[in-house]
Amino acid sequence: MATEIERELLKCEAALYEMQKQYPALAKTAAQNRYVYDVAWANAIDEIAHRKLVEGQKPPTVPVQDAMATKIVAEEMEAARTAEADLDAAKKHIDTLQAILSSVQTRSKLLLAEMSLR
């Protein structure tokens, strides 16, 4: 039983260590993709707001400008949201691994306490 718990601890620690190594790169990617998206959005809104209008044509409303900008920056938006989802998933994975590690550590302590009572 003790060796099984030790194996679980080592496995969980290794998985947690690996995810914690990957997390900074995921965070950087998410931040970079968000930056690219935000700049593309600002440029799209600027372009739409400054387009020449045909005589008699009204400027687009803000919701229409937002819709037009969304179409223009669809790829950047998708990349940013995907990277943010990857980052969120990694954080949840790390939290889960920490909970599992804590659980296995508790089991180990209980086993040691039980063994000391024998």
Side-chain angles (χ1 to χ4, degrees):
M1 179 77 156
T3 56
E4 177 186 328
I5 290 176
E6 186 176 345
R7 271 195 307 265
E8 285 183 56
L9 277 170
L10 292 173
K11 180 181 171 186
C12 191
E13 286 173 344
L16 183 57
Y17 175 73
E18 188 58 38
M19 280 306 301
Q20 287 176 328
K21 279 184 6 186
Q22 293 175 17
Y23 192 80
L26 292 170
K28 183 177 181 178
T29 298
Q32 288 171 333
N33 285 354
R34 182 58 195 229
Y35 168 79
V36 168
Y37 165 64
D38 287 347
V39 170
W41 177 268
N43 289 336
I45 291 292
D46 186 52
E47 175 192 320
I48 292 163
H50 293 95
R51 283 183 181 165
K52 297 267 187 210
L53 298 176
V54 176
E55 189 175 321
Q57 183 183 22
K58 293 183 181 179
T61 62
V62 171
V64 171
Q65 287 181 8
D66 287 348
M68 294 167 78
T70 298
K71 287 181 176 182
I72 293 169
V73 300
E75 289 179 20
E76 292 88 347
M77 180 187 287
E78 180 182 12
R81 290 190 177 169
T82 300
E84 288 167 358
D86 289 344
L87 185 62
D88 288 344
K91 176 66 174 132
K92 287 185 186 342
H93 190 64
I94 287 171
D95 291 345
T96 299
L97 288 170
Q98 288 173 330
I100 292 168
L101 181 60
S102 178
S103 173
V104 174
Q105 288 170 333
T106 300
R107 285 177 38 217
S108 176
K109 288 176 187 173
L110 290 173
L111 179 63
L112 288 173
E114 182 183 313
M115 290 171 52
S116 70
L117 294 175
R118 291 182 185 173

